[in-house]
């Protein structure tokens, strides 16, 4: 007999691969807008907007099949709904604890596997158990073979190489913008207007305290919008995605990036379908292998990897602090206020977060993350900041990206060496330095670049901790040869303006 227990969908489970599968098609759908979840942290205003807009749009699309309950908490919402439900595996340890409690109380009948990710948690654990070291590249190749993506019938990679990163590190062109077709932009409707009014009211009455500015919704909130965003990306922007993946231009906030993390993380797009569609662009000649492989690597590799590390490494991973970083996040950083920042790279990235709740990957890793690493920001507080200030921030996506990749606070689980770099790297990969008040070549004096000088000061502070890492031996020997080492360290200790 068909199971018709209603399906409770969290706000990150909104796509057809959740609610329109053969198993779920007959079920009523419950959506709960929990005011406590909105108010719990200082989320970016545009992130709150996107999540509410996506939930309300889905409720509207499903019509009589869906019940949207507005409640103080999830528990209260379920009690008001009054019937047991089933739910898919949620996206955080906290939500998993909540669901476990609700199962014990009989309010949730069963937890179903999540279709939001390509590989199941059990499969990942079977792959990872017993490995000496967890390496993303090994996992990614296994994913390619297992799901037959970009592999020949004999199991070899299409084009003969698994990894085309070497072809994908071009600096930006000498232009103000990359010059690729514009990314998809949704059009707001009456649902968005309702969301905006409700958020204004919650703000006026002090029930939420968001960061960032309000602005037109920039990211897809419905299945149809997400499909259009994906098609636009694949047909007009994927071809240039590969070569300029790591490049930055002050006047181009999107570059060739997909802007798909928000709809993917809301569960609006099935990740395996996205990867398969990207693969067809290679066959049709719409995009070259280096771009297609680069994009497939992001979704089939990195996104899955980060999700699985979240569960595999468990909640204690969040407490890791291998470099003993304890600096509290400055107020201007928390409030997304770039007005006091002169460093052009940092000012541009922070302004992007304030205005759009978005910065592209290399800004997150090599500008914001790199700065936080050099200045010793407390990793847990930084994780919280990334999770709340970004439109695509969700609990599962933060630990391996922030604690691991960007802050090296796990001592080398997620990355083999810290992603720390001075101004020379930023200068090579962007046009920021050209009009900056600082000089990337200078490490001492009023024009000293905070990234260049900050890099050496950071290395000095962590020299003993990093001494065992073979990949750090060259930078450490560079530090030993630095004639003005002490002066640079002292300067950075007293630096208050960036
Ligand atoms: C410090 C730091 C914080 C980050 N915070 C987030 C976050 O809150 N949410 C988030 O989804 N991603 C996060 N990322 C990963 C990555 O930066 C974003 O996914 C990407 O910038 C989103 O923009 P896009 O859709 O234009 O991505 P593109 O550059 O076009 O990449 C395509 C897709 O690949 C996926 N992807 C690529 N790398 C990662 C990764 N490391 N982790 C997860 N997915 C990945 C995303 O779904 C993305 O949409 C973070 C990375 C770092 C270094
Ligand atoms: S000079 Fe330094 S601070 Fe200025 S943009 Fe370049 S890297 Fe950033």
């Amino acid at each position: 007999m068909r199971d018709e227990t209603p399906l409770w969908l969290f706000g990150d489970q909104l796509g057809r691969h959740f609610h329109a599968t053969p198993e779920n098609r007959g079920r009523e759908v419950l959506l709960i807008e929990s005011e406590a979840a909105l108010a719990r942290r200082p989320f970016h205003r545009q992130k709150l907007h996107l999540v509410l807009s996506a939930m309300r749009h889905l409720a509207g699309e499903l019509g009589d099949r869906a019940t949207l309950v507005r409640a103080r908490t999830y528990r209260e919402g379920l009690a008001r709904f009054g019937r047991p439900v089933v739910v898919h595996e949620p996206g955080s340890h906290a939500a998993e604890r909540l669901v476990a409690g609700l199962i014990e109380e009989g309010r949730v009948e069963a937890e179903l596997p999540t279709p939001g990710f390509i590989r199941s948690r059990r499969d990942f654990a079977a792959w990872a158990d017993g490995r000496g070291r967890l390496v993303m590249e090994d996992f990614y190749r296994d994913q390619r073979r297992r799901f037959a993506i970009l592999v020949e019938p004999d199991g070899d990679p299409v084009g003969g190489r698994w990894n085309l990163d070497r072809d994908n590190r071009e600096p930006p062109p000498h232009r103000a913008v990359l010059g690729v077709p514009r990314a998809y932009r949704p059009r707001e409707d009456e649902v968005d207007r309702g969301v905006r009014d409700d958020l204004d009211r919650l703000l006026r009455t002090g029930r939420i305290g968001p960061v960032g500015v309000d602005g037109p919704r920039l990211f897809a909130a419905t299945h149809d919008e997400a499909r259009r965003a994906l098609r636009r990306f694949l047909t007009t922007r994927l071809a240039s995605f590969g070569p300029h993946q790591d490049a930055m231009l002050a006047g181009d906030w999107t570059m060739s990036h997909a802007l798909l993390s928000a709809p993917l993380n809301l569960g609006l797009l099935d990740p395996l379908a996205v990867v398969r569609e990207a693969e067809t662009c290679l066959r049709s000649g719409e995009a070259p292998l280096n771009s297609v492989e680069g994009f497939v690597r992001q979704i089939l590799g990195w996104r899955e990897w980060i999700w699985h590390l979240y569960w595999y490494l468990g909640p204690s991973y969040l407490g890791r602090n291998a470099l003993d970083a304890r600096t509290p996040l400055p107020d201007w950083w928390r409030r997304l206020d770039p007005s006091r920042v002169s460093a052009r790279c940092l000012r541009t990235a922070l302004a992007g977060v304030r205005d759009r709740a978005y910065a592209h990957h290399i800004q997150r890793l090599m500008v914001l993350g790199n700065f936080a690493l050099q200045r010793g920001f407390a990793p847990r507080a930084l994780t919280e900041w990334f999770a709340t200030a970004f439109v695509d921030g969700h609990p599962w996506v933060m630990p391996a990206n922030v604690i691991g990749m960007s802050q090296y606070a796990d001592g080398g689980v997620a990355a083999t060496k810290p992603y720390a770099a001075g101004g020379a790297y930023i200068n090579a990969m962007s046009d920021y330095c050209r009009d900056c008040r600082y000089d990337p070549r200078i490490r001492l004096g009023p024009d000293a670049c905070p990234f260049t000088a900050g890099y050496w000061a950071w290395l000095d502070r962590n020299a003993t901790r990093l001494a065992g890492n073979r990949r750090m031996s060259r930078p450490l020997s560079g530090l030993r040869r630095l004639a003005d080492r002490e002066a640079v360290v002292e300067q950075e200790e007293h630096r208050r303006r960036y």
Side-chain angles (χ1 to χ4, degrees):
M1 210 179 72
R2 197 182 180 117
D3 180 356
E4 294 193 347
T5 311
L7 172 67
W8 171 27
L9 293 174
F10 281 102
D12 56 358
Q13 302 179 332
L14 304 178
R16 294 191 182 167
H17 55 304
F18 284 93
H19 62 77
T21 57
E23 306 80 54
N24 287 343
R25 204 169 284 141
R27 298 183 198 271
E28 253 183 272
V29 166
L30 169 66
L31 294 153
I32 302 174
E33 273 184 23
S34 152
E35 197 181 311
L38 300 182
R40 195 172 298 136
R41 298 188 177 104
F43 289 112
H44 198 293
R45 164 83 196 225
Q46 294 181 42
K47 181 195 173 100
L48 293 176
H49 186 122
L50 183 72
V51 176
L52 290 183
S53 176
M55 290 177 76
R56 292 182 189 182
H57 272 102
L58 179 63
E61 275 168 34
L62 295 179
D64 290 346
R65 194 183 150 203
T67 304
L68 177 71
V69 176
R70 295 195 177 117
R72 224 169 30 80
T73 62
Y74 289 127
R75 238 170 227 290
E76 186 186 297
L78 278 174
R80 267 211 249 144
F81 184 65
R83 278 176 289 148
V85 293
V86 293
V87 68
H88 286 285
E89 289 167 316
S92 72
H93 297 297
E96 196 174 58
R97 282 194 298 274
L98 172 72
V99 168
L102 293 167
I103 289 177
E104 268 183 29
E105 292 164 31
R107 287 174 197 262
V108 170
E109 256 180 26
E111 190 185 73
L112 314 171
T114 179
F117 292 83
I118 299 169
R119 188 116 168 206
S120 72
R121 278 162 61 182
R122 188 190 296 175
D123 264 5
F124 181 84
W127 175 86
D129 283 347
R131 275 171 194 265
R133 203 181 143 71
L134 296 175
V135 179
M136 196 311 269
E137 188 67 31
D138 298 343
F139 170 71
Y140 168 63
R141 291 179 191 187
D142 194 70
Q143 291 274 88
R144 292 259 300 268
R145 284 199 198 91
R146 177 176 285 236
F147 298 100
I149 304 290
L150 297 178
V151 289
E152 302 289 2
D154 63 2
D156 282 346
V158 167
R161 281 188 287 154
W162 290 102
N163 185 328
L164 281 86
D165 276 355
R166 248 188 299 133
D167 305 350
N168 286 345
R169 292 203 187 109
E170 281 185 26
H174 292 286
R175 289 197 296 269
V177 293
L178 196 53
V180 295
R182 249 178 62 150
Y184 169 80
R185 270 265 176 105
R187 228 180 254 145
E188 289 198 3
D189 60 10
E190 70 285 357
V191 173
D192 290 294
R193 284 188 278 283
V195 168
R196 182 158 288 115
D197 289 348
D198 287 351
L199 288 174
D200 283 343
R201 190 172 36 77
L202 288 172
L203 189 58
R204 267 198 314 275
T205 51
R207 277 140 77 197
I208 54 168
V211 293
V213 299
D214 192 11
R217 178 163 64 78
L218 296 172
F219 300 92
T222 69
H223 169 83
D224 287 351
E225 287 181 354
R227 288 285 318 149
R228 263 179 254 143
L230 173 65
R231 287 311 306 164
R232 172 82 63 91
F233 170 71
L234 292 179
T235 54
T236 66
R237 297 161 59 83
L238 174 62
S240 50
F241 174 81
H244 298 298
Q245 257 182 81
D246 288 359
M248 301 176 274
L249 287 169
D252 192 339
W253 68 273
T254 66
M255 302 296 285
S256 247
H257 292 281
L259 310 191
L260 289 173
S261 51
L264 273 162
N265 294 355
L266 290 173
L268 291 169
L269 291 168
D270 174 352
L272 188 57
V274 169
V275 164
R276 291 203 196 286
E277 266 182 74
E279 191 184 21
T280 63
C281 295
L282 178 69
R283 273 188 247 122
S284 65
E286 279 168 297
L289 180 60
N290 61 320
S291 283
V292 174
E293 191 282 316
F295 182 67
V296 164
R297 167 179 294 271
Q298 304 308 313
I299 311 261
L300 189 67
W302 281 110
R303 184 171 186 272
E304 292 278 307
W305 179 245
I306 297 289
W307 163 261
H308 285 298
L309 288 189
Y310 178 74
W311 296 107
Y312 193 73
L313 300 174
S316 64
Y317 182 82
L318 253 176
R320 305 284 285 266
N321 194 356
L323 299 184
D324 196 28
R326 302 197 177 272
T327 310
L329 272 51
D331 211 38
W332 53 266
W333 178 283
R334 279 186 187 284
R335 286 188 290 107
L336 309 180
D337 177 8
S339 64
R340 290 186 39 218
V341 180
S342 306
R344 192 165 178 236
C345 53
L346 183 58
R347 197 175 68 228
T348 309
L350 200 60
V353 183
R354 177 198 59 193
D355 297 343
R356 295 179 280 269
Y358 176 90
H360 60 71
H361 182 70
I362 216 71
Q363 290 178 307
R364 296 186 204 202
L365 187 62
M366 299 313 293
V367 178
L368 295 166
N370 186 17
F371 182 83
L373 174 66
Q374 292 184 2
R375 302 294 152 184
F377 287 5
R380 197 167 193 142
L382 185 70
T383 304
E384 190 71 12
W385 180 81
F386 269 107
T388 49
F390 282 74
V391 70
D392 51 11
H394 291 259
W396 63 266
V397 82
M398 308 324 309
N401 270 319
V402 181
I403 301 278
M405 275 235 287
S406 120
Q407 300 303 297
Y408 201 70
D410 63 3
V413 177
T416 49
K417 85 186 234 310
Y419 280 93
Y425 172 87
I426 295 175
N427 191 27
M429 295 310 290
S430 78
D431 66 350
Y432 291 136
C433 303
R434 236 179 280 158
D435 289 318
C436 182
R437 177 243 170 281
Y438 300 109
D439 185 329
R441 294 162 304 180
I442 297 183
R443 57 176 181 262
L444 208 51
D447 295 335
C449 162
F451 281 84
T452 302
Y455 174 78
W456 292 116
W458 169 82
L459 204 54
D460 176 85
R461 207 165 61 239
N462 291 291
T464 313
R465 290 189 190 96
L466 297 171
N469 184 328
R470 276 203 355 258
R471 296 193 67 198
M472 293 306 290
S473 55
R474 267 181 64 185
L476 286 169
S477 80
L479 177 72
R480 284 190 289 276
R481 289 196 308 273
L482 213 63
D484 46 14
R485 175 173 172 175
E486 267 180 43
V488 172
V489 169
E490 177 160 359
Q491 165 188 280
E492 293 309 301
E493 253 170 32
H494 295 105
R495 191 195 275 271
R496 292 292 168 266
R497 293 193 71 85
Y498 303 99

